[in-house]
Amino acid sequence: MKNNVRVERAVVRMTQTELAERVGVSRQTINAIESGKYVPSTVLSLKICRIFGRSFDDVFQLEDSDWIK
């Protein structure tokens, strides 16, 4: 799953540490999400979206490889 977390953080001038503290995870987790190494849970994804005031589809996108074939 692709995401725009890094872009959304930049728009509001928020650090990884600040976002991590607001959603209750480590900075390393935010880094892993942004780099595509970790797919966040539904709850964490929705928390991130709420922080940015954006919809899920604005922040997270399924890739073709995410679909069951």
Side-chain angles (χ1 to χ4, degrees), residues 42-60:
T42 303
V43 172
L44 179 54
S45 298
L46 293 172
K47 285 180 180 180
I48 291 169
C49 292
R50 185 170 286 182
I51 293 293
F52 297 135
R54 306 288 285 185
S55 73
F56 182 87
D57 290 335
D58 289 338
V59 182
F60 297 95

Side-chain angles (χ1 to χ4, degrees), residues 5 8-9 12 14-34 38 40-54 59-60:
V5 174
E8 295 296 336
R9 270 194 320 100
V12 297
M14 182 181 292
T15 66
Q16 287 182 341
T17 300
E18 290 167 334
L19 178 58
E21 289 172 356
R22 293 193 58 188
V23 297
V25 299
S26 69
R27 183 200 60 77
Q28 290 85 353
T29 298
I30 300 300
N31 182 272
I33 292 168
E34 290 181 354
Y38 175 72
S41 69
T42 303
V43 172
L44 179 54
S45 298
L46 293 172
K47 285 180 180 180
I48 291 169
C49 292
R50 185 170 286 182
I51 293 293
F52 297 135
R54 306 288 285 185
V59 182
F60 297 95

